[in-house]
Amino acid sequence: MSTLRERNRQDKWRRIRKAAESLFAERGFAGTTTRAIADRAEVGVGTVYLYAKTKEDLLLRIFVESIEAAIDEGFATLPDAPIVDRLLHVYGCFFAFYRRDLALARVLVREMTLGDVDLPANVELSMSFNRRVAALLGESALRGELRRDLPAELAATNTFALYLISLVAWLNGFVDEAGRDAMLRASLNLQLEGLGPREES
Amino acid sequence: MSTLRERNRQDKWRRIRKAAESLFAERGFAGTTTRAIADRAEVGVGTVYLYAKTKEDLLLRIFVESIEAAIDEGFATLPDAPIVDRLLHVYGCFFAFYRRDLALARVLVREMTLGDVDLPANVELSMSFNRRVAALLGESALRGELRRDLPAELAATNTFALYLISLVAWLNGFVDEAGRDAMLRASLNLQLEGLGPREES
DNA sequence: TCAAAAAAATGAGCATGTTCATGATTGAAC
DNA sequence: GTTCAATCATGAACATGCTCATTTTTTTGA
């Protein structure tokens, strides 16, 4: 196997990644030029484009694995608590991640949800995350905390939708962190209880 | 009141708007240059930027009022049917609107949900729409179709979240139109019923 | 060890969004 | 009608994402 080639590639990518990450933090996404990234990484501009299709792609590649870590962290530290609190914990890990840099989070979420068509949409990531939430809900259903016949995957997607709306509200500055948490908790509770009339037997 | 000034302004805006709209339809958003817009509108490039902060802003200004029309249309033609069908009808009007040009819809939704910070985020539009959906749910609650103590605004936001997820799934090509409709219907039903266990008295 | 092929790197150059110094148009005051 | 200030319009010039013909590096095979 080609070792020198491989090592060179990995080294270049590491440098580009590091340069981009630091520059995004220092000057924001729009404020960072691809030239600046190339300079700091000590490569040519063209080289950057051998490792990422576009500037947006670069951002995604850099942060997606951090997000994966945040997900794992969330599921690894689940509290022994009612299902709503467990969900809030998981989604709270996302919030904590995005909190590090709100402006960047904005771009990141935008690209992840409706990014360029010919970019590698991280379908895998979404699917696997949804399955994990579904598993959480499934457990809860088994314990009798939720309906036994719960369509877990669908329910998981619903909770994700509620998370996404509160995330957008937060990133748009409509609510602060407390408001965001209150909003998500309330909407999750409403999803649990349902909108329908209490049926009397 | 300044009549000539005003007329000139309106005429310029009309021409710019028309030019941009037709070019976006012909060549897509990314494929349309601001120079092309200016040329077709028979104004200078700089003039375009007197009427819209950015190219994205131009897109938003052009289509937001069409969206308003779609909303009004939706509420004006509500079917006399169960609440889920009424909601599907309203959100279906959005789908019908976006259906005209999927690629453009993608950009439009992206800008509307997480557009540039210093662009006029159409908070008014969202708020008034949410209130109208809330009113719909409120009526339904009064008729006994939904819980009497329903927090209508929150419930409206929840249904909007579910709509948004199905919209994104559709725009990303994860589901086709039928799948999108099925998805929204199922998730709305689940929101109505709730996730909690059927309580037995 | 050395050609030659394959792969990777490069940065000048292009395309295009946006700005801004300059000039044209309009409305008001007299 | 003239003047003048306020507003509006303009496109050359700039900034920057991205490409691609050329050059450099690495691997292969004999």
Side-chain angles (χ1 to χ4, degrees):
Chain A
M1 71 198 56
S2 50
T3 56
L4 179 52
R5 277 257 160 98
E6 197 58 25
R7 262 181 298 142
N8 279 344
R9 264 194 87 79
Q10 289 189 345
D11 183 55
K12 284 243 164 58
W13 169 237
R14 201 182 44 76
R15 271 150 54 200
I16 291 170
R17 182 198 161 92
K18 216 170 164 180
E21 197 166 356
S22 58
L23 281 167
F24 287 156
E26 288 167 26
R27 312 181 196 172
F29 183 74
T32 300
T33 68
T34 53
R35 281 160 179 71
I37 295 171
D39 285 353
R40 186 170 290 190
E42 295 181 287
V43 298
V45 210
T47 309
V48 172
Y49 285 89
L50 293 177
Y51 293 81
K53 268 213 192 91
T54 63
K55 199 176 149 189
E56 286 75 24
D57 187 27
L58 185 55
L59 181 74
L60 282 175
R61 280 179 202 273
I62 286 176
F63 283 101
V64 157
E65 67 184 64
S66 303
I67 290 180
E68 283 171 355
I71 296 179
D72 289 338
E73 164 79 11
F75 280 100
T77 60
L78 276 175
D80 187 8
I83 183 66
V84 170
D85 294 293
R86 286 163 79 86
L87 290 171
L88 283 170
H89 173 81
V90 170
Y91 293 124
C93 284
F94 288 151
F95 291 146
F97 174 77
Y98 292 133
R99 191 187 183 306
R100 289 187 236 165
D101 192 330
L102 282 190
L104 215 53
R106 209 187 161 73
V107 186
L108 201 52
V109 172
R110 179 160 70 198
E111 292 306 316
M112 289 201 315
T113 50
L114 283 170
D116 264 353
V117 196
D118 39 24
L119 239 53
N122 284 85
V123 190
E124 285 316 311
L125 189 59
S126 323
M127 301 266 282
S128 107
F129 176 76
N130 202 70
R131 271 194 301 272
R132 292 175 81 168
V133 175
L136 222 60
L137 293 169
E139 283 174 35
S140 184
L142 278 181
R143 282 203 307 275
E145 192 184 9
L146 298 179
R147 288 164 47 183
R148 295 221 172 257
D149 63 338
L150 188 74
E153 300 262 344
L154 179 61
T157 306
N158 272 26
T159 68
F160 187 80
L162 301 179
Y163 150 74
L164 195 61
I165 276 278
S166 61
L167 175 65
V168 168
W170 176 45
L171 292 177
N172 278 332
F174 302 156
V175 296
D176 59 11
E177 296 199 15
R180 174 203 69 195
D181 293 339
M183 177 177 170
L184 181 53
R185 179 179 286 277
S187 60
L188 283 174
N189 273 323
L190 190 57
Q191 167 64 86
L192 286 211
E193 296 163 15
L195 310 183
R198 296 260 150 272
E199 44 234 67
E200 26 240 307
S201 55
Chain B
M1 73 197 54
S2 50
T3 54
L4 181 50
R5 277 260 157 95
E6 197 57 23
R7 261 181 298 141
N8 278 343
R9 266 194 84 81
Q10 289 189 345
D11 182 55
K12 285 242 164 59
W13 170 237
R14 199 183 45 76
R15 270 150 52 201
I16 291 171
R17 181 198 161 92
K18 215 169 163 181
E21 197 166 354
S22 57
L23 281 167
F24 287 156
E26 288 167 25
R27 312 181 194 171
F29 182 74
T32 299
T33 68
T34 53
R35 281 160 180 72
I37 295 171
D39 285 353
R40 187 170 291 190
E42 294 181 289
V43 297
V45 211
T47 308
V48 172
Y49 284 88
L50 293 177
Y51 293 82
K53 269 214 193 87
T54 63
K55 200 176 149 187
E56 285 76 22
D57 187 28
L58 186 56
L59 181 74
L60 282 175
R61 282 181 202 273
I62 287 175
F63 283 100
V64 157
E65 67 184 64
S66 302
I67 290 179
E68 282 170 355
I71 296 178
D72 289 339
E73 164 79 12
F75 280 100
T77 59
L78 276 174
D80 186 8
I83 184 65
V84 171
D85 294 295
R86 287 163 79 85
L87 290 171
L88 282 170
H89 173 81
V90 169
Y91 293 124
C93 284
F94 289 151
F95 291 146
F97 173 77
Y98 292 132
R99 190 187 186 303
R100 289 188 237 165
D101 191 330
L102 282 191
L104 215 51
R106 208 185 162 74
V107 187
L108 202 52
V109 172
R110 180 160 72 198
E111 293 305 316
M112 289 201 314
T113 51
L114 283 171
D116 265 353
V117 196
D118 39 24
L119 240 54
N122 283 84
V123 191
E124 285 316 311
L125 189 59
S126 323
M127 301 265 282
S128 105
F129 176 75
N130 202 69
R131 272 194 300 274
R132 293 177 80 168
V133 175
L136 221 61
L137 293 170
E139 283 174 35
S140 184
L142 278 181
R143 283 203 307 274
E145 193 183 10
L146 298 180
R147 287 164 50 185
R148 295 221 173 257
D149 63 339
L150 188 75
E153 300 260 344
L154 179 62
T157 307
N158 272 25
T159 67
F160 186 81
L162 301 179
Y163 150 73
L164 196 60
I165 276 279
S166 62
L167 175 64
V168 168
W170 176 44
L171 292 177
N172 278 332
F174 301 156
V175 297
D176 59 11
E177 297 200 15
R180 174 201 70 195
D181 293 340
M183 177 178 169
L184 182 53
R185 179 179 287 277
S187 59
L188 282 174
N189 273 323
L190 189 57
Q191 168 63 86
L192 286 210
E193 296 164 15
L195 311 184
R198 296 261 150 270
E199 44 234 71
E200 25 241 304
S201 54

